[in-house]
Amino acid sequence: EAGVAQSPRYKIIEKRQSVAFWCNPISGHATLYWYQQILGQGPKLLIQFQNNGVVDDSQLPKDRFSAERLKGVDSTLKIQPAKLEDSAVYLCASSKGLIVAGYNEQFFGPGTRLTVL
Amino acid sequence: AQSVTQPDIHITVSEGASLELRCNYSYGATPYLFWYVQSPGQGLQLLLKYFSGDTLVQGIKGFEAEFKRSQSSFNLRKPSVHWSDAAEYFCAVDPGTASKLTFGTGTRLQVTL
């Protein structure tokens, strides 16, 4: 079974530019997560989707960050415009079941390392 | 709000020595508890989890963790460390209601030969 795929793996941009990250979850997984991991910190949840609906985006900086999960499969996270403090690794994870069904193990992709200059 | 504390930022052990990584959590009830490992350039891999029941849980790669309710701790242990265990280790909690993880800041493990 293929794991969670993310691209690109690395991205370097200048501040005020825009950038997009792509995630393809494990086939059949209903729930998808985006995390931001700043150097020296643990991952922080940005947004959680169940199928193509947003469950929680309370920690997403909505003035510059946006995310979508069209058709309930793959997802895109966008930053526009980027700031220096957005330099981080962006991790995508997916889990199989629906949230109401209880705990579902999250499987993580390798991440996209973003450097904003 | 729930929080997770990993007091050790960096630990160095010799190969073959025992290991204990500390984790304390702050939450009203007993949450679901997890340990993840992250190797350079890799995503997070689940080592083990605790939901309820036996307070000593076994995981992959020879790791185990013990839940202590009185201390709000969930420490990770391994009797004999291998050089390939060098990585960053994260403790995480989930209140169990919405499958959302809150991570600690991580402990970087270095293994000397």
Side-chain angles (χ1 to χ4, degrees):
Chain A
E1 180 181 72
V4 177
Q6 291 188 247
S7 67
R9 293 295 308 276
Y10 305 91
K11 190 73 177 179
I12 300 174
I13 62 172
E14 295 191 350
K15 59 183 179 184
R16 292 188 290 274
Q17 286 187 323
S18 62
V19 64
F21 313 127
W22 174 81
C23 171
N24 186 247
I26 294 173
S27 177
H29 279 199
T31 307
L32 185 147
Y33 310 78
W34 283 101
Y35 290 85
Q36 180 192 56
Q37 185 179 14
I38 294 173
L39 185 65
Q41 299 180 21
K44 182 186 79 172
L45 180 67
L46 292 176
I47 188 167
Q48 179 184 14
F49 292 94
Q50 181 167 285
N51 295 317
N52 61 351
V54 175
V55 175
D56 182 359
D57 62 357
S58 58
Q59 298 202 76
L60 188 74
K62 298 181 187 64
D63 58 333
R64 297 184 301 105
F65 286 64
S66 64
E68 60 183 9
R69 190 183 184 198
L70 299 176
K71 300 180 181 179
V73 182
D74 53 358
S75 176
T76 303
L77 177 69
K78 297 180 181 177
I79 308 175
Q80 182 179 9
K83 293 185 176 181
L84 297 177
E85 58 262 36
D86 298 331
S87 294
V89 174
Y90 291 85
L91 295 166
C92 180
S94 69
S95 63
K96 186 174 184 179
L98 299 178
I99 293 166
V100 294
Y103 169 72
N104 288 275
E105 181 178 344
Q106 294 184 33
F107 295 85
F108 286 81
T112 296
R113 181 176 298 277
L114 173 67
T115 301
V116 182
L117 303 175
Chain B
Q2 62 200 41
S3 65
V4 182
T5 302
Q6 293 181 248
D8 303 306
I9 296 174
H10 185 213
I11 285 181
T12 301
V13 299
S14 300
E15 188 174 41
S18 63
L19 170 71
E20 183 169 25
L21 302 182
R22 296 182 291 165
C23 173
N24 293 93
Y25 66 91
S26 173
Y27 190 63
T30 299
Y32 296 165
L33 297 160
F34 305 84
W35 276 99
Y36 283 84
V37 60
Q38 186 177 38
S39 298
Q42 303 296 316
L44 293 157
Q45 182 182 21
L46 180 65
L47 286 175
L48 47 77
K49 58 185 181 287
Y50 173 79
F51 291 168
S52 64
D54 192 348
T55 57
L56 184 65
V57 294
Q58 303 296 321
I60 62 171
K61 304 185 179 185
F63 286 92
E64 66 179 26
E66 185 173 14
F67 168 63
K68 293 185 177 180
R69 185 188 307 274
S70 60
Q71 299 176 19
S72 296
S73 69
F74 188 56
N75 293 349
L76 182 71
R77 301 195 294 245
K78 187 169 185 177
S80 178
V81 171
H82 188 262
W83 63 266
S84 60
D85 293 325
E88 186 134 24
Y89 292 80
F90 292 94
C91 182
V93 302
D94 179 342
T97 57
S99 298
K100 288 189 286 189
L101 294 170
T102 298
F103 286 87
T105 52
T107 298
R108 180 165 297 280
L109 173 65
Q110 183 177 357
V111 180
T112 59
L113 300 176

